[in-house]
Amino acid sequence: MLPKFLPLIFALWAAAALPAAAAPGGLSVLSSASAAPLLLGESHRIHSGLLAEEREYWMRIPTAFAGETPPESVTVVYVLDGEKLFASTAAFTSFLEGSRLSSLGPTVVVGVVSGDRTQDFTPTASNARRDGTVDENAKEVGGGAESFYHFLTTELRASVESHLPQNTRVARRVLIGHSYAGLFTLNVLLWHPNAFDGYAAIDPSLWWDRGVVVARAVRAGARTVEKPAPELYVAFAAQTRPETSYHLARADDLRAKAFPVLNEQGVRTSIRFFHEEVHGSIALPGIFDALKKLFPAKPEAGSALHPASE
């Protein structure tokens, strides 16, 4: 099946709020006879045998692929909740890959469209609340993170990389997630640290199941980490509200108790608190900051991501 192109039109998000006025070609009222769509990427669908369902992902191809000679290597950035975060992440990489501010280089962005977020992104089934208390009358939900991890790193990865030019290799792979997806990203680092070269967990839902992921990080870190070790970036929205106190306490545990364990194992860690952001607003500034941190313009020894093993 041919991919369905995703046109990126001026004022992409604002256009969704405009009245649905008729226009030639089915585009918005901003169109004209001479207008041409700007392509953000492609939409692909695959059937997952592991998840027993159809899944969709969006793919941004770097501009370097338009030349006669494709780049020898690319970075592939997987961003979860792609229906919300793909467009911005693609725009960030488009800016950084040609900028002196970053060492990013040609980058493919894969936006993984969400299914059941609670099931896919949480490592354990739980009926615990956000404040750490347990609702004994509530049904336990979640717990599908390991199955989703295997889908992500086998079926989805194979589909994505089948679209790359034959002689272009994947030098680095990065996983980015926000909220539940940030929890998933951190959990993958702990259990499968070398599955990706870099991890960015943006305000991860550390409260899940009474802080089970942080407890695991403090207890064992990324126990199976091998060289070259991955890099972890974590961002938190530090605007405090009553319902965030338990969550931010787990963030303090992560920094003070888990990071030393991870650093001793070779995982390079960094953390940033965004004091003007709340959980719902941190995703975009967090992702942009993560890309700058993971791909600095002039990396010092040991701070840049290492190429993925072949």
Side-chain angles (χ1 to χ4, degrees):
M1 179 177 67
L2 292 175
K4 177 180 68 176
F5 286 96
L6 300 171
L8 176 62
I9 306 171
F10 174 73
L12 178 65
W13 293 279
L18 293 174
L27 297 179
S28 74
V29 293
L30 300 176
S31 298
S32 68
S34 61
L38 300 177
L39 298 181
L40 178 64
E42 301 173 352
S43 171
H44 298 267
R45 296 190 69 88
I46 63 173
H47 178 79
S48 169
L50 293 172
L51 301 179
E53 62 186 13
E54 294 287 319
R55 297 301 300 238
E56 183 178 7
Y57 68 90
W58 300 349
M59 189 171 175
R60 181 254 177 187
I61 305 298
T63 54
F65 279 17
E68 294 183 3
T69 304
E72 294 182 358
S73 63
V74 295
T75 294
V76 181
V77 173
Y78 291 82
V79 59
L80 304 175
D81 292 325
E83 69 279 9
K84 295 180 179 179
L85 302 178
F86 170 76
S88 298
T89 307
F92 295 156
T93 59
S94 178
F95 172 74
L96 290 173
E97 70 180 4
S99 170
R100 294 181 180 179
L101 300 175
S102 172
S103 60
L104 183 58
T107 304
V108 173
V109 177
V110 179
V112 186
V113 176
S114 297
D116 183 336
R117 297 180 73 256
T118 303
Q119 175 64 19
D120 288 345
F121 296 153
T122 58
T124 55
S126 176
N127 58 359
R129 302 183 181 93
R130 294 172 186 265
D131 62 0
T133 61
V134 174
D135 184 355
E136 300 290 353
N137 297 319
K139 178 183 177 181
E140 290 188 341
V141 294
E146 188 68 8
S147 296
F148 188 77
Y149 159 78
H150 287 292
F151 158 72
L152 187 68
T153 56
T154 57
E155 295 173 328
L156 181 63
R157 181 176 290 180
S159 179
V160 166
E161 297 183 7
S162 71
H163 295 290
L164 301 181
Q166 184 175 1
N167 296 323
T168 297
R169 70 182 182 90
V170 176
R172 297 172 288 191
R173 301 181 181 92
V174 175
L175 179 62
I176 299 176
H178 165 249
S179 191
Y180 275 178
L183 181 75
F184 173 83
T185 298
L186 183 59
N187 191 66
V188 172
L189 169 76
L190 299 180
W191 290 102
H192 310 282
N194 291 98
F196 295 87
D197 303 283
Y199 297 83
I202 312 301
D203 214 29
S205 301
L206 299 183
W207 57 266
W208 179 263
D209 199 4
R210 293 166 289 181
V212 63
V213 170
V214 176
R216 200 273 175 181
V218 171
R219 183 174 65 253
R223 183 176 293 170
T224 61
V225 67
E226 300 174 358
K227 294 184 178 180
E231 188 166 354
L232 170 66
Y233 170 95
V234 186
F236 287 100
Q239 281 280 359
T240 58
R241 302 187 305 275
E243 64 270 24
T244 65
S245 59
Y246 183 85
H247 167 69
L248 289 176
R250 303 290 76 71
D252 289 339
D253 289 342
L254 183 72
R255 176 172 59 175
K257 300 177 182 179
F259 272 20
V261 177
L262 292 169
N263 290 331
E264 186 175 346
Q265 294 172 333
V267 177
R268 299 176 301 282
T269 57
S270 59
I271 191 169
R272 180 175 177 185
F273 289 84
F274 287 74
H275 294 283
E276 296 182 355
E277 306 297 340
V278 297
H279 184 72
S281 67
I282 192 179
L284 301 192
I287 290 172
F288 187 62
D289 193 59
L291 291 171
K292 290 191 298 179
K293 178 64 178 178
L294 294 174
F295 301 94
K298 295 181 180 179
E300 298 176 359
S303 65
L305 294 180
H306 296 278
S309 302
E310 296 181 350

